[in-house]
Amino acid sequence: MRVRYAFRNLLIARGRFIIALFGISLAAFLMAMQGSLLYGFTLASSVLVDSIDADIWIVPRGSAALEYATHFDERAAWLAHGVPGVAATGRGLTGQIQVQKQNGDRFAVFVVGIDRDFRGRTPDARANLKPPATFINVAAVNDTDLPALGIQSLPATVEVAGLRVDITMLTSGFASFLGSPMLFSDFAFARRVLAGNKPVSNFVLAKVAPGYSVTAVRDALRERFSKNDVLTKAEFSFRCRHYWLAQTGVGGALLLATLLGFLIGVSVVAQTIYSQTSERVEEYATLKAMGASNWYVISIVLYQALFCGAVGVVAGLGFAELFVNMAKGTIGWIQFPGWLKGMVVAAVALLCVVAAFVGSRPATAVEPARVFRA
Amino acid sequence: MVAENLEVAYGAGASRTPALRGVSTTLKPGTFTLVMGPSGSGKTSLLTILGALAPPDGGRVLVDGTDITAMSERARTEFRRKKIGFIFQSFRLMTGLTAEENVRMSLSMRGFSDDARLAREALDAVGLSQKRRLKSNELSGGEKQRVAIARALAHKPPIIFADEPTASLDSVNGARVSELLSNALSEKDRLLLVVTHDDRLLKAANRVIRIEDGRIIEDILR
C-alpha cells in the first residue's frame, strides 16, 4: 500500500514530478555521455598497443605513450631475438606526417607501420588486396576518417611526403582521439616517410616462446636493454592509458563532468522530493502517530524517488543512445557498452537513495504529537 | 491504564506555562471516558501523554504494569502501532488514497496480510462499503470521520483515543459518530477515551473527567 501511496503522492504534485523526471533524465544523460567519452577515450588511448600482436614491447626510455616514442636503432629487434625465451621479434614505426588530399589541402595523419607477423588486429591493406590490383603503396584507414581525408569511395589516392598512397581498405575501431586519422601501411613505407629510410624503429615487439614466462623474458630483456623501457603488453597499455587519462587531465575532466551529472541529479531530485515531503508533512505526522516507524516513512519517500528514477533513467539513457550514435560521426572512438548503461542505472538508483534520505528529512523530523493541533 | 502525577509544561524560563499539574487517574477497560474542559485546560496534553506520542515532564503512565513514559521513542512507536487507534478532529486521511486504501494502509503498516478483507469489513461496519473506492476529497465530512473510525478500529486495538471527533460535523453526522464510538466498546476489554467539548457525547459515555488549568476538577462515573 505504501507503494501505491508513494505513486499517488507523485501524481498529486505533477509539476514537481516532471521537474524530478527532468533532473534524473539530465543526470542519467550526462553520466552516460561522459562515461561513454571516458570509456571510449580509455580504449582509444591504448588501442594500438592492445591490437598489435606482441607479448613484450621495447620502447625508448621514458616513452609516456606510443605516440611519443622516439626513434632508436632497429638492430634492437635482432638483438632481442637472441634472448632466451624470445620466439620472434618485429619492428614498428608510428608518427605524424602531412598528407595532401585529392583537393590539394594538407592534413596531418598518424602513420602506423608494423612488421606483418605482429599486426594482430590492426588492418593489413596489402594482404587485403585482390589480384589483379597492383598498387605500390597501400594503406587502410578507419571508416569514420573518410570525410576528414576527403574520400568518398575506395580506392582513393592521397599524397604522403611526395609519395602516392592508395587507400584500399577500410577498418573500424581505430578512430583516433588526436584528430589525426591513423593511416595503416607496412613497416617499409612507414620507415620511408617517417625516418627517411634510416634503420630505425620506435618500438620493438617480441613474442614469447611457449613454456616461457612473459615476465621472466621481460626481465631478461630488461637486463639486455638497460637503456630502454621493456614492458609487457599490459604494462605498456596501462602506461599509455595513464598518460592520456591522468597526465593530460582528460580523464579528470571527464570524471569530473560525470560526477557533476550525478550531483546535479541528486540536488534536483532531493530538492523536489524534499518539497513534496514538506507539503505532505501532516500526513507523515499522522502515519507516525499511528505507529509508522521512521524507516516506513523513509521507504515511502524512497519509493517516490525510485519511481522518478525508473522513468528518468529510461528517458536519459534513450537520449544518450541517440546522442552517442549521432556523435559517432565526429567522435569515432565514443563507446556506450551495455555494462555502462547498467552502471548509469546503478548510479541513478544510488542518486535516488541519497535524494530520498535527504528529501525524507521533513517526514522523519516531524513530531507525531502535532496530530492534535487542529 | 494508570496515570500518576503527570506534569507537562510548554515554553522555557519565565514564559514556561504548565499544561498538566500532577494529573492522576486510572482508566479501566470497557469504559467510555469523556475528557471535557475549556480550551487550554490540558485535555490535548493529557491525550498526547496517554497516547504515547510524547513523554511527560514528570509522572508516569502504566499500561498493564508497563511504564510507557520510560520507553524509547522506537518502543513508544511500536506501542502505538500495536495497542492504539487514533481518531482526529480533522480526520487526517491520506488525500491521494481511497477510503478503502486509507484503512488498508493502516492495516498493512501493522503487518496484516489480509488487509483488503479487513478494510472492507471495517468500512462495512461504519456503513461506507458503497463508498470505499472514493478518494478522501470526494467524501463528506461525516463520511471522512467514519473512514477515520474504520481506520482506527480495523486492527482491533485495545485502546481508542479520539480528539474532538464530532467537532467538525453537523448534528446528524455527530450523532452517527457518537453511535459508532459507543459500538466500539462492544470489543471486549477495550478502553475508549474521547476529548471533546461536545455535550452530545455525554449520553454515550459512562465516565466524565473535567479538567481545568491542568488539573482534574471533576471525575464522575455514570
Side-chain angles (χ1 to χ4, degrees):
Chain A
M1 194 50 61
R2 69 196 131 159
V3 177
R4 198 174 298 183
Y5 178 62
F7 188 60
R8 298 265 172 82
N9 276 353
L10 284 176
L11 293 185
I12 287 171
R14 283 199 176 88
R16 292 194 193 285
F17 183 39
I18 290 166
I19 291 170
L21 287 185
F22 176 76
I24 291 178
S25 303
L26 182 66
F29 174 76
L30 287 174
M31 286 189 283
M33 287 302 291
Q34 299 303 327
S36 299
L37 289 169
L38 183 63
Y39 177 62
F41 188 84
T42 304
L43 291 186
S45 63
S46 65
V47 66
L48 279 178
V49 179
D50 297 331
S51 301
I52 289 169
D53 184 18
D55 299 317
I56 294 172
W57 289 65
I58 303 170
V59 293
R61 170 156 287 181
S63 300
L66 180 62
E67 291 76 6
Y68 293 119
T70 52
H71 295 171
F72 66 108
D73 197 323
E74 70 171 11
R75 281 182 304 170
W78 325 132
L79 293 171
H81 206 174
V83 172
V86 175
T89 55
R91 303 153 301 166
L93 254 175
T94 57
Q96 281 203 328
I97 194 162
Q98 285 210 323
V99 298
Q100 189 167 322
K101 296 197 266 187
Q102 284 169 325
N103 64 4
D105 289 350
R106 289 188 171 275
F107 191 77
V109 294
F110 189 76
V111 172
V112 180
I114 308 151
D115 276 336
R116 178 163 278 178
D117 291 345
F118 291 81
R119 285 177 182 273
R121 295 198 306 274
T122 63
D124 187 343
R126 190 163 299 281
N128 194 53
L129 286 177
K130 291 182 180 66
T134 51
F135 298 102
I136 298 169
N137 298 311
V138 291
V141 294
N142 201 60
D143 49 9
T144 55
D145 290 329
L146 287 183
L149 290 163
I151 296 171
Q152 265 105 47
S153 61
L154 298 186
T157 306
V158 293
E159 191 185 302
V160 181
L163 297 173
R164 172 193 165 121
V165 179
D166 290 294
I167 312 291
T168 57
M169 182 184 176
L170 281 184
T171 186
S172 60
F174 291 95
S176 169
F177 58 92
L178 291 172
S180 311
M182 289 192 201
L183 193 79
F184 291 95
S185 185
D186 45 47
F187 180 76
F189 175 79
R191 188 164 66 179
R192 189 166 175 186
V193 297
L194 295 173
N197 266 336
K198 288 180 193 157
V200 294
S201 63
N202 53 8
F203 50 91
V204 163
L205 307 163
K207 287 181 185 175
V208 173
Y212 283 85
S213 151
V214 172
T215 50
V217 175
R218 176 203 63 189
D219 293 342
L221 285 167
R222 276 182 181 169
E223 282 186 27
R224 181 69 185 79
F225 296 96
S226 56
K227 290 181 181 172
N228 293 77
D229 284 340
V230 182
L231 304 158
T232 64
K233 182 176 190 166
E235 287 167 344
F236 193 44
S237 175
F238 177 79
R239 182 187 277 195
C240 294
R241 289 180 180 189
H242 182 263
Y243 173 77
W244 287 110
L245 288 167
Q247 288 182 255
T248 63
V250 172
L254 291 172
L255 267 179
L256 186 65
T258 310
L259 186 66
L260 281 176
F262 183 84
L263 291 177
I264 288 170
V266 168
S267 53
V268 172
V269 180
Q271 201 278 330
T272 309
I273 296 285
Y274 191 94
S275 303
Q276 278 179 342
T277 310
S278 298
E279 280 175 4
R280 314 211 81 74
V281 76
E282 291 299 331
E283 292 189 2
Y284 290 114
T286 306
L287 284 173
K288 289 177 77 172
M290 285 162 43
S293 63
N294 266 345
W295 169 243
Y296 187 89
V297 167
I298 290 169
S299 69
I300 292 170
V301 181
L302 183 61
Y303 281 128
Q304 286 178 226
L306 289 175
F307 270 129
C308 294
V311 180
V313 80
V314 169
L317 287 179
F319 280 121
E321 184 85 52
L322 194 69
F323 269 72
V324 166
N325 285 332
M326 283 165 58
K328 280 204 164 159
T330 48
I331 312 169
W333 42 268
I334 195 167
Q335 300 273 348
F336 193 26
W339 63 263
L340 182 58
K341 290 169 193 161
M343 280 188 72
V344 172
V345 171
V348 167
L350 176 67
L351 177 159
C352 290
V353 171
V354 173
F357 275 92
V358 174
S360 63
R361 178 74 188 137
T364 53
V366 68
E367 289 176 31
R370 69 187 282 151
V371 289
F372 293 133
R373 292 171 208 155
Chain B
M1 177 177 273
V2 181
E4 293 177 352
N5 205 26
L6 296 179
E7 302 272 350
V8 173
Y10 300 109
S15 63
R16 190 166 172 82
T17 311
L20 292 178
R21 304 169 196 246
V23 169
S24 297
T25 188
T26 300
L27 302 167
K28 290 185 176 164
T31 57
F32 181 163
T33 305
L34 283 189
V35 177
M36 304 185 85
S39 294
S41 58
K43 304 186 300 291
T44 301
S45 297
L46 180 62
L47 193 55
T48 301
I49 304 305
L50 296 179
L53 289 164
D57 295 324
R60 61 179 188 162
V61 176
L62 301 173
V63 177
D64 295 332
T66 305
D67 183 358
I68 63 167
T69 55
M71 287 176 171
S72 65
E73 194 176 330
R74 181 178 287 195
R76 282 207 312 274
T77 301
E78 191 179 345
F79 174 79
R80 293 196 301 272
R81 184 162 64 239
K82 289 183 174 165
K83 303 280 187 184
I84 302 177
F86 283 108
I87 300 162
F88 308 103
Q89 179 182 346
S90 52
F91 325 125
R92 289 188 165 267
L93 300 178
M94 307 299 140
T95 47
L97 299 180
T98 65
E100 183 181 331
E101 287 166 346
N102 264 282
V103 183
R104 283 183 66 185
M105 187 162 189
S106 164
L107 287 162
S108 64
M109 184 183 83
R110 292 175 162 98
F112 287 85
S113 55
D114 54 348
D115 55 326
R117 181 182 63 79
L118 290 171
R120 280 197 290 275
E121 284 175 10
L123 286 169
D124 197 31
V126 298
L128 282 177
S129 52
Q130 299 298 314
K131 299 201 171 182
R132 65 193 171 91
R133 292 215 168 94
L134 293 184
K135 288 207 174 144
S136 60
N137 57 3
E138 296 167 327
L139 298 168
S140 69
E143 288 166 343
K144 283 180 189 172
Q145 195 58 298
R146 281 151 64 194
V147 173
I149 291 172
R151 181 178 66 180
L153 301 179
H155 62 288
K156 301 189 183 347
I159 302 167
I160 305 284
F161 288 130
D163 179 37
E164 304 278 10
T166 56
S168 308
L169 305 178
D170 59 25
S171 58
V172 175
N173 281 306
R176 185 94 195 252
V177 166
S178 173
E179 185 190 339
L180 289 171
L181 289 173
S182 300
N183 293 344
L185 272 188
S186 61
E187 188 82 16
K188 195 184 166 199
D189 291 340
R190 181 172 273 167
L191 185 160
L192 174 61
L193 184 140
V194 178
V195 165
T196 187
H197 284 101
D198 190 350
D199 290 340
R200 291 174 297 181
L201 289 170
L202 282 169
K203 279 190 289 184
N206 43 29
R207 185 180 176 190
V208 179
I209 296 172
R210 290 192 187 276
I211 293 189
E212 214 169 292
D213 295 330
R215 293 192 180 92
I216 294 177
I217 57 163
E218 190 176 54
D219 191 344
I220 305 167
L221 281 172
R222 295 152 58 95

